[in-house]
Each structure stands twice: as C-alpha cells, then as structure tokens.
Amino acid sequence: MIGRLNHVAIAVPDIDAAATTYKNSLGAVISDKVEQPDHGVSTIFIELPNTKIELLEPLGEDSPINKFLERNPNGGIHHICYEVENIIAARDQLSAEGARVLGSGDPKIGAHGKPVLFLHPKDFCGTLVELEEA
Ligand code: CO
C-alpha cells in the first residue's frame, strides 16, 4: 500500500523566516507562500531531489497546528506524507485493522489538489501520517 514519501511537514511560527533559512543556509529553492484556508495553514514548499519539505504556519485562530506550536514554540516536524494509489481502499483497509482516521474520515483536497487523509499518531509510532492519493 505505502508508496513514495511525498513530503515531510515542518510547522513553524514564522514561515517567511523559515523559508529564508532554507534558502540562504541550505541553498533550497522555495515556492511562493500559499494560504490554505480550508486547512487553516499557509504553506511554502521546498523541492528536494527526492521529496519535498512542506513548511506550515498557522492561518486563523482555529488552525490545527496551533496546539503543536504551543508545545513546540520553535517549530518541529509535524507530519510525514506517504503516497498511496487508492486513498479510499487504503482508508478502508486501515480502518478495518483498527487504525483511526482523523476528522470525518472522508478525504479532503490537500495542498497539491489531491485527496488526503490523516491517521492518528498513536496508531503510527507517534507520528501524524498524511496519506495522499498519487
Ligand atoms: Co502535508
């Protein structure tokens, strides 16, 4: 089921400062900042040769990453995203095995315009897992 690593997401308090660090210190090519009001975050993507880094900054008062940043005020790794061929089949198989899918359980359209789901960190080694249909 599990496919390529699509991205690693890092939640940060100041996305412009984070992007500048990646650009100036690490020589990364960074995307423009995009507000994702449906997800309560702003994103900047960093393209690496084999995957992407997704920088996340809270957007709005009920951003789903506010609590994470309260616990990790300097930022930190928030989730990892794996590609799957069929997100509904993956969800149904994981749910049948007892894994918890966050939210309504129905895929939302993610930052790349593709359906995504999140899986509970307690079921996946303490790591929030995003699945994205490839
Ligand atoms: Co993500």
Side-chain angles (χ1 to χ4, degrees):
M1 176 202 304
I2 191 171
R4 285 162 33 99
L5 173 66
N6 186 278
H7 61 268
V8 175
I10 302 176
V12 295
D14 181 342
I15 198 167
D16 296 307
T20 299
T21 297
Y22 267 82
K23 190 175 169 188
N24 293 351
S25 300
L26 297 173
V29 176
I30 60 171
S31 76
D32 290 333
K33 177 162 61 177
V34 179
E35 296 192 347
Q36 320 259 3
D38 288 354
H39 296 275
V41 292
S42 297
T43 56
I44 290 178
F45 278 94
I46 299 162
E47 292 280 344
L48 304 180
N50 60 342
T51 189
K52 296 185 276 282
I53 302 297
E54 178 184 60
L55 298 175
L56 299 172
E57 180 186 70
L59 178 68
E61 309 240 314
D62 339 309
S63 172
I65 64 171
N66 279 341
K67 272 198 191 129
F68 180 89
L69 283 169
E70 278 169 27
R71 290 194 304 269
N72 303 277
N74 298 316
I77 294 178
H78 182 262
H79 65 265
I80 54 179
C81 176
Y82 299 122
E83 295 179 2
V84 294
E85 265 180 40
N86 182 325
I87 201 161
I88 299 296
R91 176 198 66 188
D92 291 348
Q93 181 185 328
L94 290 163
S95 297
E97 290 165 2
R100 286 164 283 184
V101 178
L102 301 189
S104 68
D106 291 323
K108 274 192 179 182
I109 298 303
H112 310 111
K114 295 183 174 166
V116 301
L117 283 175
F118 286 90
L119 304 171
H120 201 294
K122 285 190 178 155
D123 298 328
F124 291 94
C125 314
T127 304
L128 179 61
V129 171
E130 179 179 18
L131 297 180
E132 179 176 300
E133 192 159 273

